[in-house]
Amino acid sequence: MPMEKTFDPAAIEAKWSREWESRGLYRPERPEAQPFTIVNPPPNVTGALHIGHALDNTLQDVLVRYERLRGKDALWVVGTDHAGIATQMVVERQLEERQDKRTNYSREEFVEKVWQWKAESGGQITRQLRRLGCSMDWSREQFTMDPHFTRAVVKVFVDLHKQGLIYRDKRLVNWDPKLKTAISDLEVETHEIQGGFWHFKYPLADGVKLDDGRDYIEVATTRPETMLADMAVAVHPGDPRYKSVIGKDILQPITGRRFKVIADEHADPELGSGAVKITPGHDFNDFEVGKRAGFKPAEMLNMLDGDANVIQTADGLIPQEYIGLHRFRRDGRDGARELVVQRMKEGGFLIPHVDKDGSEHDAEPRTIQTPFGDRGGVVIEPWLTDQWYVDAKTLAQPPMQAVRDGRINIVPKTWEKTFFNWMENIQPWCVSRQLWWGHRIPAWYGPKMVENHQVYDGSIIFVADTWEEAAIQARQYYGDEAPAIVVADSLESAIEGMKDTTRSEELFLYRDPDVLDTWFSSALWPFATLGWPDDTELLKRHYPNDVLVSGFDILFFWDARMAMQGMHFLNEVPWKTLYLHGLVRAPDGAKMSKSKGNVVDPLGLIDQYGADALRFFMSAMESQGRDIKMDDARLAGYRNFATKLWNAARFCEANGISASTTLEAPAATLPVNRWIIGEVADTVAAIDKAFAAYRFDEAANAIYSFAWDRFCDWYLELIKPVLSPLPLAGGVGGGPVSDERATEDMPSPNPSRKREGDEAAETRAVAGWVLDQILVMLHPFMPFITEELWTGLGDRADYPLITAKWPAPKVERDPQASADIDWLIKLVGELRGAKAELGLPPGARLTAHFPASLKGRTGKLSAQLDRLARLEAIRFDPAPAGASAQLVVEGETITVPLEGVIDIAAERDRLSKALAATTKERDSLAGRLSNPNFVERAKPEAVEKARADHDAKAAEADRLTAALARLG
């Protein structure tokens, strides 16, 4: 069936996506082949395809398709992450829309609702990945809450706990009061907000005074409310202003709490008063100061509940009027911050800020870097609480060594410094989250026996794979004489059971209500997806993975943690190469965000340009270490590239060129065929080299340049005379030859029909083979159009392109053929440029005078010279005197007389005027660019445009100067 006249991406994309998956072509059976493994960073099950996904998955698919074509057993693991916080938020929002809420259900009932949501709505992003053309192993799609994956997660937690690498500790965490859970440092976003800087007097107790006579120490804070839990004032040990009061007492004005003035280098003598109030239970720096001062975490005061409302501290000193207030103003109601400032002012303890006009204000206006939760969207509260932690410092050592000795190759290398900086300063990893959806922590708490009384204080913990194993541990701990061990639903239920006199023969354990951080489970992705902890054949064959493609923004969220867990549990790196790509940015270079309204929908781009064009854009623009700017013009250009290839295939079909039947290059005698075969070999080598170095841009540009420039623009034009030879009008390449010397030593311009037939057959065979090689080399980048053309050009349903073989030309470039065709291309380019400069139509036939040394070359290329160079006659005698165009090609000068062809005087006048105008504009732009005021003060885009305009005018001036020179 003849090919369709026009290329329609939408018509072929859905067809081939279904065909490939239904036939199992994403994972063909290749048990003897070398394995190649890559795991997809699992997108959130709540997610929709965004432009970052499009980049990340395009690069992975390019690698997988390339390695599959090279004959490897290519496995691309696909799946989704259960996304604890995000998914719970989605389902809770659905309940809110129905005037319902999570707490109306038991934990088990709510989790069931989440599973129902996943079944109904959780597959959106996987359907979208199929539209992009991702050749993942969909038959083994994974989910981080699947039973086999949950088993792996539990084993990792239990084993790490046994090894002392997971432990429970009271520390400050980033607490999200909206979501009511701890979140990691990596899930905190810093925003600039307008706030205040308050200065207060903290009275010294017992009549003590500073050396300057003051009976107070001045402290300043952006969070006045936290003074309700202050436990010290810190001064630098070398600050002479405060040496006499170190160890003395402060009497906090609102709570009446007495605490010490302590010496700590955290206090900066150059900053403010040099004294800092210390609230160890609500500030990360203060927490460390408090520990150095001898406060145990259990002794540090906490003044807030999980909603960030004020509660009574352990010492009971917060006045009642503060209890229940939010930490600061919310929903139009003043909070603890506002009341603290008011009371301190009323008591004379507020030091007003005096502005430059002499006016007094309660606080100095400040722009404050404030932490927000990336999902909850509210200010994060440092909160002292018991959580589970991983000893990340210990686990970080093997991955760092693996990067140092090359077992893990980070590409680009510039990211190694960032990797080491984070890993060397890594903090304990808080892995517990106060959610219902997720992997529940496999820990059960029992009572501590205090004088024959049971006390649930969280200190007696049994960590086990199952409840049955936890019960065995509890029996061993409490002894055979202890009551029957049973499980309670919660701490509250356990306490009720303990108090129930009818159940005195039972001892209650309750399970930790928290779940594990989502990143804890996804850190197992490279091996748990392959069947671990079972020793499966898949695991043996595909671990370690070959490469991980990842955005640099999850280097610490995910990549580093995979390296930790993989090396700890399998004693081997999770992947040999870590490729980190940049971000996709808006056309102006700004980061995309919904608030800016500059977010791009990749599905919309697919609808507009086709998936192949979007994929090629991502690949061609992916230059190591750089972000990608969206560019609709380039997308349109790559859509045009696909259309050009389609039209080239139609030309081949119309001229009897069909699918090749050989992997090796066909035999060739014609220079043009020997040249293009050499070009194929060079392009294959260039692409292989680029892929080996993870230079996606270089690989894409190599096949683009070859397919568009060498094949479509030149080779197909060069073979037209062979496929359909025109009768030669005379001379070399047609036209009258008025000088007998022009034909001296020239071969006959009329070869035999048999020779024509042999050359045409050879050319059809070579052209079909070359087009096949283009389709194979382009397939990783543009899978849909290449598969469609592959099938359309020949009957090979049993040999689809997706599982075809990578080119192996097994030829060397023919130096003479390459030299001849390259010379021809340069000559034609020079002729076309000269015609354009002189205002001549492209089809105008001119006479050219060649050096005698080029007789042999012009003779071999006579047919192509006629078609492409449009020469009326080729001569080897000296050109007549007068105006002429001088074409210099590889050091040889070809002269084209212009007398009688154009009005020399008029053309010289036209070019001179144009050159004067262009030179003036060029010099004006140069003047602007040399002015520091313009370059430093103008908008960057204005400066960039001026530079581009200057370059364009400079190039135009050079062109016009060359055109004038041609006229002599």
Side-chain angles (χ1 to χ4, degrees), residues 899-927:
E899 292 289 348
V901 177
I902 61 173
D903 184 333
I904 301 297
E907 182 63 16
R908 183 177 287 114
D909 183 59
R910 182 186 72 82
L911 291 172
S912 297
K913 288 180 179 178
L915 177 59
T918 300
T919 303
K920 183 178 180 181
E921 291 182 61
R922 178 199 65 191
D923 294 345
S924 174
L925 288 163

Side-chain angles (χ1 to χ4, degrees), residues 196-200 202 219-227 277 363:
F197 198 46
W198 287 266
H199 294 253
F200 298 106
Y202 266 27
V219 296
T221 181
T222 60
R223 303 178 66 211
E225 66 278 9
T226 60
M227 70 172 61
K277 69 182 212 59

Side-chain angles (χ1 to χ4, degrees), residues 734-745:
V737 179
S738 57
D739 191 326
E740 291 181 0
R741 288 171 297 179
T743 59
E744 186 179 356
D745 297 328

Side-chain angles (χ1 to χ4, degrees), residues 808-826:
K810 297 185 178 179
V811 294
E812 294 183 4
R813 173 181 284 277
D814 181 335
Q816 188 57 55
S818 296
D820 287 342
I821 300 302
D822 286 343
W823 173 85
L824 175 62
I825 289 171
K826 292 172 185 174

